[in-house]
Amino acid sequence: MLSILAGEANRPLAAALAVQLETDLAERTIERFPDGEIHVAVKSGIRGHDVHIVQPLCPPVDAHLVETMMLADASHRAGAAHITAVLPYYGYARQDRRSAPGEPVGARVVADLLAAVHVDSVLVVDPHTRALEAMLSVPLEPISAIPLLAATLRPELPDDAVVVAPDLGAVKRAERFAGLLDLPMAFVRKTRLSGDTVRAEGVVGDVAGRVPVIVDDMITTGGTIVSATQVLLDAGARAPVTVAATHGLLVGDALEALGQLPLQRIHLTDSVPPPDSGALPLVTTSLGELLADAIRRLRRGTGLGQLGGYG
Ligand code: R5P
């Protein structure tokens, strides 16, 4: 028996998933005690069930992580047969190595915490790092929204578009995207100076006279997209620019920063709750069907097939 348990981070996505799977969301309460502690209670009977906890680890990341852990522990103690953490967005994934002495490996800490609360497997959409698999002591099922985004963009792209990876880490993802749309590819050389500052140093590939489609796993502050757009236009690419990213965190002044760009459209998924776009030309594609397909396949034991991948 399947149970879908929603955290607070993205209940609409969990509800869309439940509809696709022809079930109701399991009943639960989530509240804060007066001292700030998170308190959860699973009200539906889930003994012997295949429980899927749906929760992107988006801001406030730490609260959503603790909530996920509380729901997993509650499910375990209530007799769940198998617990899958469905994390449409895996927070802390960018802390996948120590970049200076004295730092932790944040992505590994999250992996250990999930295993500690009896999570049996983890489903993640376009995880930032392939290293995640080695960090988790339980199976990782990575699925990719890249084919979904490519299919959504296909009708609106001109023949002379060029797919652009805004940094080296995004090259494989952009290659897959370009392959699906039969378009050429270029990439931007980027250096990250701090959490909210990046410097784009140039473009590798032929973008002159072409319309860029920048493809990334996530937009956080928007700094990467802003600096990539600048170097692309400097290199002779043609505005307006299209952007596609799986996770639209859009924190701080991201909307304002992106609003200054000559944008055709920004395509995101609902892995995290879509922001109020204001005047931004933002299109959100739901992951509900993709997640449902993935869960059905995994429950049938057929593997993820074409749905799998890291972007
Ligand atoms: C970095 O490696 C990621 O793939 C994204 O490019 C980055 O996290 C985006 O962050 P921001 O929008 O703050 O530049």
Side-chain angles (χ1 to χ4, degrees):
M1 185 91 171
L2 173 70
S3 282
I4 305 292
L5 195 49
E8 285 287 293
N10 196 346
R11 206 174 151 87
L13 175 58
L17 171 63
V19 167
Q20 291 286 335
L21 292 169
E22 296 176 357
T23 184
D24 295 323
L25 291 176
E27 282 184 41
R28 56 40 169 190
T29 57
I30 300 179
E31 59 181 348
R32 287 255 179 199
F33 281 158
D35 60 1
E37 288 178 0
I38 291 170
H39 176 260
V40 312
V42 178
K43 302 291 186 184
S44 298
I46 56 169
R47 184 165 298 281
H49 287 200
D50 184 9
V51 174
H52 289 70
I53 300 169
V54 183
Q55 178 90 314
L57 300 181
C58 55
V61 184
D62 304 342
H64 289 149
L65 174 60
V66 173
E67 214 180 78
T68 308
M69 293 167 64
M70 294 292 178
L71 287 169
D73 189 73
S75 301
H76 172 69
R77 290 173 199 281
H82 191 278
I83 301 171
T84 302
V86 179
L87 308 178
Y89 168 69
Y90 188 107
Y92 283 95
R94 291 187 296 175
Q95 296 190 44
D96 57 344
R97 68 184 99 89
R98 298 196 306 160
S99 52
E103 291 183 350
V105 180
R108 168 67 194 251
V109 173
V110 173
D112 286 347
L113 291 172
L114 293 172
V117 289
H118 316 285
V119 165
D120 296 299
S121 59
V122 181
L123 185 63
V124 181
V125 182
D126 290 336
H128 176 70
T129 173
R130 286 167 187 257
L132 207 53
E133 174 139 45
M135 293 179 187
L136 281 158
S137 58
V138 298
L140 170 67
E141 307 290 356
I143 63 173
S144 179
I146 287 297
L148 183 64
L149 286 169
T152 311
L153 264 82
R154 188 189 301 274
E156 67 187 54
L157 290 182
D159 292 342
D160 59 354
V162 56
V163 175
V164 180
D167 57 31
L168 263 181
V171 165
K172 277 196 184 306
R173 190 171 298 116
E175 260 173 7
R176 184 170 183 200
F177 194 88
L180 288 165
L181 295 173
D182 202 18
L183 288 173
M185 204 209 96
F187 71 92
V188 173
R189 287 187 289 111
K190 173 182 109 176
T191 304
R192 179 164 288 285
L193 306 174
S194 70
D196 60 1
T197 323
V198 296
R199 188 174 60 223
E201 284 152 348
V203 186
V204 178
D206 188 9
V207 298
R210 289 183 167 273
V211 175
V213 185
I214 305 175
V215 179
D216 209 351
D217 60 333
M218 59 199 285
I219 307 176
T220 312
T221 64
T224 298
I225 300 299
V226 169
S227 58
T229 301
Q230 197 53 57
V231 292
L232 286 165
L233 297 179
D234 290 349
R238 253 174 50 224
V241 172
T242 295
V243 178
T246 305
H247 313 295
L249 295 161
L250 301 168
V251 302
D253 295 332
L255 290 174
E256 289 75 11
L258 295 169
Q260 306 301 312
L261 301 178
L263 287 173
Q264 174 71 24
R265 233 176 298 285
I266 300 181
H267 286 267
L268 301 171
T269 75
D270 60 352
S271 67
V272 305
D276 181 2
S277 60
L280 264 192
L282 212 143
V283 175
T284 305
T285 302
S286 180
L287 292 174
E289 200 176 331
L290 178 66
L291 288 171
D293 282 352
I295 290 170
R296 268 190 229 104
R297 292 185 71 105
L298 291 170
R299 278 168 57 79
R300 278 201 308 264
T302 47
L304 289 170
Q306 290 297 313
L307 307 183
Y310 290 82

